[in-house]
Amino acid sequence: MITIALSKGRIFADTLPLLNAAGITPLDDPEKSRKLILDTNRAEVKLVIVRASDVPTYVQYGAADLGVAGKDVLLESDCMGLYQPLDLQIGTCKMMVAVREGFDYVAVVKSGARLNVATKYVHIAREHFAKKGMHVNLIKLYGSMELAPLTGLADAIVDVVSTGNTLKANKLMAVEEIMPISSRLIVNRAALKLKRDQIQPMIEAFERAIQ
Ligand code: AMP
């Protein structure tokens, strides 16, 4: 049995063509079904539908053999020893620093003032500002980070930006790119050893599909 952990929404939709290329077709649509374990056209392959931030945990503990997770999720997770054979080049976006329109970020950084930064991505943000030698107060949020500068909770946010429409709609602007983000295939190392005959061809099919 091979179990693949995926999250609903963007990752599931973008992974479908790659699964198809590996000869795997889910028998249910997770957007319509309430099932959390989906059968596929291949009796020995199942998909488990979990929260995006839980994908690395399922794979680390071997409850799933493979998974698809964003680089942002992987950098924020404490999971160790996951094999990451492929950048799937899906779910691409950028991790950015953003502030209210009109906020002079460059001048504030130059002045050495301590910034309040709200984010879901505290590991990534801490490392970024430490590298720049900036002192910041990090405020952990779980969503709707755009609200933080508008309500005075924070001076800046660190968030993923795709089209930039959400920032624009909230009168925010991106001022610094931290890193490009995309989704990665992750594999449990023990599973790869024990089930290499089944897993290796899948990795190769995904790789061909990306190219
Ligand atoms: P956009 O308005 O297209 O810049 O999208 C911004 C919002 O969509 C962000 O606040 C994110 O929560 C979410 N988002 C966009 N792209 C991604 C992605 N690749 N992975 C996770 N969340 C994303």
Side-chain angles (χ1 to χ4, degrees):
M1 180 62 64
I2 297 290
T3 304
I4 306 174
L6 295 173
S7 52
K8 275 208 276 193
R10 196 185 324 241
I11 284 195
F12 190 87
D14 290 355
T15 305
L16 263 187
L18 301 176
L19 288 172
N20 286 334
I24 300 164
T25 310
L27 299 185
D28 273 302
D29 176 353
E31 303 299 341
K32 292 186 187 136
S33 164
R34 301 182 81 95
K35 280 189 201 167
L36 297 175
I37 301 180
L38 306 185
D39 291 323
T40 71
N41 62 320
R42 282 168 54 179
E44 79 288 10
V45 181
K46 295 211 184 305
L47 309 181
V48 290
I49 305 301
V50 303
R51 272 190 78 124
S53 49
D54 290 336
V55 168
T57 307
Y58 274 79
V59 177
Q60 181 183 11
Y61 286 94
D65 302 300
L66 302 103
V68 175
K71 185 178 176 187
D72 51 332
V73 168
L74 290 167
L75 289 173
E76 290 298 318
S77 91
D78 296 321
C79 291
M80 316 266 281
L82 292 170
Y83 176 49
Q84 289 183 42
L86 287 179
D87 178 348
L88 297 174
Q89 291 161 36
I90 58 176
T92 52
C93 55
K94 288 176 178 168
M95 188 65 69
M96 308 281 276
V97 181
V99 297
R100 264 192 342 267
E101 280 173 12
F103 182 91
D104 195 345
Y105 179 73
V106 173
V108 173
V109 171
K110 242 188 200 162
S111 76
R114 202 175 176 100
L115 278 182
N116 291 323
V117 180
T119 188
K120 190 160 98 175
Y121 307 99
V122 284
H123 286 112
I124 293 171
R126 186 175 296 120
E127 192 163 324
H128 173 71
F129 292 112
K131 259 193 212 152
K132 285 176 60 91
M134 279 174 66
H135 297 286
V136 297
N137 299 319
L138 289 177
I139 302 167
K140 168 85 184 182
L141 288 178
Y142 294 88
S144 301
M145 278 158 279
E146 296 84 5
L147 255 183
L150 305 178
T151 54
L153 177 65
D155 305 302
I157 59 171
V158 167
D159 195 7
V160 291
V161 177
S162 176
T163 59
N165 290 339
T166 307
L167 290 182
K168 208 180 284 170
N170 290 291
K171 297 193 164 45
L172 301 177
M173 57 179 186
V175 285
E176 207 160 64
E177 178 177 339
I178 299 180
M179 64 177 76
I181 299 287
S182 57
S183 294
R184 314 294 158 116
L185 182 68
I186 55 172
V187 184
N188 177 280
R189 285 184 187 275
L192 183 59
K193 278 199 193 117
L194 294 170
K195 306 181 192 175
R196 185 176 280 278
D197 291 353
Q198 289 163 288
I199 293 177
Q200 192 60 38
M202 276 186 198
I203 297 174
E204 285 165 14
F206 289 159
E207 192 169 15
R208 281 195 299 275
I210 300 163
Q211 286 161 359

